[in-house]
């Protein structure tokens, strides 16, 4: 008798055989999307995903019971992982260390999907140097009152500011209402310096689009503007990778685009059932990103200028971080005024 969610099936992915249990288990019940669909999505997109995630420490965001169930972030290699799943040691802000999954071949994505992984959250570093990012990430995050079109408009300002800093940015949908802009950089700066560069770039975007964009950490200070989340550049902060399935009812997929395409699409255009076809038709617009790594010299000069001339230096870290050098008081402004 067949099992309720289907008998196990095996997929040949490169040199590996990946066994998938309960392939008909509902993962996105509103759309009839099953575990099988998610696994096959990752098999179809294995090549560009290795290009994007290869050699990177990667956190797995797992939904064992599908999108309607609880999820958790697996920051350590799951027990029972095959010996061909590579790992790498990373250091958390607390100083603790862990062995994290480090994808090196397409089969890793199918294996992880069998464990309920929807999205992959890679660090912006590669083995063997996991303390110096080679990827700059700017998270363009609209508030609840705004939408994707607002994020797109701010993302174009991000593109202009990056260009003025001598950097080429590559956009992708976040899978939600936001936009991620990525850039390849030389791994010559540590996490603190890269975060400072993102702060400086964000401040410049804010100056050019003051009515639309903000880097204010506290929501009460954002005024309904699109937030440039500079803390996504902090150690152990990540964004969903390109081609990652997101935990939305529609099973949207974070999809890399050209700047022209960004103006023509909607995030709902890309999901588990359509993303592979989009890739086959349009290719990977981020394929050339590795060809030219850029420097952060100009952005860091802007950071020093803002600190020297405008008194705009360090900004608050997330609440779970240890107190960092030069960081201002980590307290909500309205509460700080009350305390005073």
């Amino acid at each position: 008798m067949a099992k309720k969610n289907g008998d196990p099936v095996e997929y040949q992915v490169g040199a590996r055989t990946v066994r998938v249990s309960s392939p008909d288990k509902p993962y996105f019940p509103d759309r009839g999307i099953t575990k099988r669909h998610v696994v096959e999505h990752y098999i179809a997109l294995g090549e560009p995903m290795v290009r994007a995630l290869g050699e990177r420490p990667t956190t797995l965001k797992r939904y064992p019971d599908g999108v309607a169930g609880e999820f958790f972030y697996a920051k350590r290699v799951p027990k029972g992982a095959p010996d061909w799943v590579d790992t790498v040691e990373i250091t958390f802000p607390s100083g603790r260390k862990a062995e994290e999954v480090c994808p090196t071949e397409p089969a890793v994505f199918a294996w992880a999907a069998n464990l309920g992984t929807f999205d992959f959250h890679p660090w912006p570093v590669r083995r063997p140097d996991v303390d110096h990012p080679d990827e700059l990430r700017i998270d363009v995050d609209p508030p609840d009152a705004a939408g994707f079109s607002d994020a797109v408009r701010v993302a174009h300002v991000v593109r202009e500011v990056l260009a003025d800093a001598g950097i080429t940015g590559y956009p992708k949908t976040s899978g939600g209402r936001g936009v991620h802009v990525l850039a390849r950089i030389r791994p010559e700066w540590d996490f603190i310096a890269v975060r400072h560069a993102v702060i400086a770039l964000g401040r410049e975007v804010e100056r050019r689009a003051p009515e639309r964009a903000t880097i204010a950490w506290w929501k009460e200070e954002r005024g309904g503007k699109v937030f440039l989340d500079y803390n996504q550049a902090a150690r152990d902060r990540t964004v969903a990778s390109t081609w990652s399935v997101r935990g939305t009812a529609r099973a949207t997929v974070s999809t890399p685009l050209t700047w022209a395409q960004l103006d023509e699409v909607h995030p709902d255009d890309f999901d588990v059932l359509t993303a592979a076809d989009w890739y086959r038709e349009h290719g990977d617009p981020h394929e050339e990103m590795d060809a030219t790594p850029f420097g952060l010299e100009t952005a860091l000069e802007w950071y020093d200028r803002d600190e020297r001339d405008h008194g705009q230096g360090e900004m608050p870290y997330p609440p779970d971080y240890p107190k960092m050098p030069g960081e201002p008081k980590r307290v909500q402004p309205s509460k700080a005024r009350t305390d005073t």
Side-chain angles (χ1 to χ4, degrees), residues 56-61 73 75 100 119-125 135 137 139 172 180 191 229 231-241 246 321:
R56 298 191 185 281
T58 300
T59 297
L60 311 179
K61 189 174 182 181
Y73 290 93
K75 295 190 175 186
E100 196 159 59
D119 35 350
F120 296 82
H121 286 249
W123 283 43
V125 300
E135 188 163 276
R137 299 167 175 174
D139 182 9
K172 69 182 184 74
H180 298 153
F191 279 94
D229 190 353
N231 267 329
Q232 294 291 28
R235 179 184 287 271
D236 193 33
R237 280 298 190 272
T238 57
V239 298
S241 75
R246 306 309 309 274
Y321 274 62

Side-chain angles (χ1 to χ4, degrees), residues 209-287:
E211 74 291 350
R212 295 188 184 278
T214 180
I215 64 164
W217 175 246
W218 304 104
K219 285 187 177 180
E220 66 185 39
E221 295 186 317
R222 295 178 192 167
K225 300 174 186 177
V226 174
F227 176 46
L228 302 172
D229 190 353
Y230 64 89
N231 267 329
Q232 294 291 28
R235 179 184 287 271
D236 193 33
R237 280 298 190 272
T238 57
V239 298
S241 75
T242 52
W243 307 117
S244 271
V245 178
R246 306 309 309 274
T248 63
R250 188 173 176 78
T252 50
V253 170
S254 178
T255 303
L257 301 166
T258 66
W259 286 103
Q261 289 167 343
L262 186 65
D263 291 323
E264 300 168 353
V265 301
H266 187 276
D268 287 352
D269 295 340
F270 312 108
D271 59 38
V272 168
L273 303 179
T274 64
D277 289 339
W278 173 271
Y279 169 65
R280 281 188 283 268
E281 181 178 354
H282 297 277
D284 180 6
H286 291 194
E287 186 171 356

Side-chain angles (χ1 to χ4, degrees), residues 54-127:
E55 305 289 339
R56 298 191 185 281
T58 300
T59 297
L60 311 179
K61 189 174 182 181
R62 294 173 58 183
Y63 293 75
D65 298 316
V67 72
E70 299 292 325
F71 67 83
F72 66 96
Y73 290 93
K75 295 190 175 186
R76 290 172 171 79
V77 181
K79 292 181 179 179
D83 58 10
W84 46 264
V85 174
D86 281 357
T87 66
V88 62
E89 185 180 78
I90 46 90
T91 303
F92 298 117
S94 65
R96 292 182 296 109
K97 298 181 182 295
E99 289 290 325
E100 196 159 59
V101 170
C102 188
T104 55
E105 57 181 293
V108 173
F109 308 118
W111 161 79
N114 180 56
L115 300 180
T117 301
F118 285 1
D119 35 350
F120 296 82
H121 286 249
W123 283 43
V125 300
R126 283 188 170 126
R127 292 190 309 186

Side-chain angles (χ1 to χ4, degrees), residues 284-299:
D284 180 6
H286 291 194
E287 186 171 356
E288 299 302 317
M289 188 160 59
D290 283 332
T292 308
F294 300 97
L296 298 179
E297 292 89 351
T298 297

